Amino acid sequence: LFYGTDAIHEAIKCAVGQRLLDIALDPQGLTPDIFLSGATQFSHDCCTFSALFENRRVGTQAEGVMERAVAAAQLSSVGPEQLRTLRETLHALAGTPMGSLFMRGGSDGRVDDAIVLNMDAFHRDDRLHQEAEEMLSAKGFSALALEEVISILNRRR
């Protein structure tokens, strides 16, 4: 009986985690911009759901879809200074000076400081890709792929 309820618990955790991850990564392109206030609330909600589904057995801390959703939510809600540092570091690794890339304008017509990162340099050089992933791991975002991190950083305002 214990294993049956455990399986149901894990299935629900996975389903909820997948929905939260879909919201965070936005594969359908429905959320072109992420603002700090909304991201902070979403991060709180993800952490709350994660706490509800904490594994009842000690020692089983595998990174699953819920942990990825929490990591994506936490990345989207980092402060402006940490966000700028992450962007600058990835631009430096890719060898693309931030000033040479185009900027996205806001709905009010002003130019935003959100400079678009590109995956091309990371796809061309496996060593560069590995260094970027190691840097993200050191920052606590190892649950996410580099492409996912760049997607979130490009949408964050």
Side-chain angles (χ1 to χ4, degrees):
L1 187 60
F2 173 76
Y3 294 107
T5 59
D6 196 40
I8 293 169
H9 180 268
E10 286 301 312
I12 293 171
K13 176 183 175 182
C14 184
V16 170
Q18 185 60 52
R19 297 304 174 259
L20 293 172
L21 187 62
D22 286 345
I23 292 167
L25 298 180
D26 192 36
Q28 296 87 13
L30 300 174
T31 310
D33 296 318
I34 300 172
F35 294 95
L36 181 57
S37 60
T40 302
Q41 181 62 51
F42 181 68
S43 180
H44 172 73
D45 295 345
C46 286
C47 290
T48 301
F49 275 111
S50 180
L52 284 174
F53 291 111
E54 278 186 4
N55 218 336
R56 295 176 288 195
R57 286 185 278 163
V58 178
T60 55
Q61 297 293 333
E63 280 188 357
V65 69
M66 182 64 77
E67 291 75 19
R68 292 182 64 223
V70 169
Q74 289 174 339
L75 174 63
S76 67
S77 65
V78 298
E81 288 304 314
Q82 189 177 4
L83 181 69
R84 181 180 309 279
T85 301
L86 281 169
R87 284 182 176 151
E88 288 174 353
T89 303
L90 288 171
H91 278 293
L93 277 174
T96 55
M98 291 183 66
S100 70
L101 299 173
F102 72 92
M103 297 180 171
R104 294 171 61 170
S107 59
D108 59 356
R110 67 178 177 79
V111 175
D112 201 335
D113 68 337
I115 300 171
V116 177
L117 289 160
N118 194 326
M119 277 298 297
D120 291 343
F122 299 105
H123 285 304
R124 284 191 300 265
D125 188 345
D126 289 337
R127 182 190 55 78
L128 194 62
H129 193 277
Q130 182 180 358
E131 284 183 26
E133 287 189 342
E134 287 173 2
M135 184 268 304
L136 293 171
S137 179
K139 298 279 187 187
F141 301 113
S142 63
L144 300 172
L146 180 59
E147 293 85 358
E148 296 167 341
V149 169
I150 287 178
S151 170
I152 290 169
L153 292 177
N154 281 340
R155 292 182 292 125
R156 173 63 198 280
R157 301 290 161 249

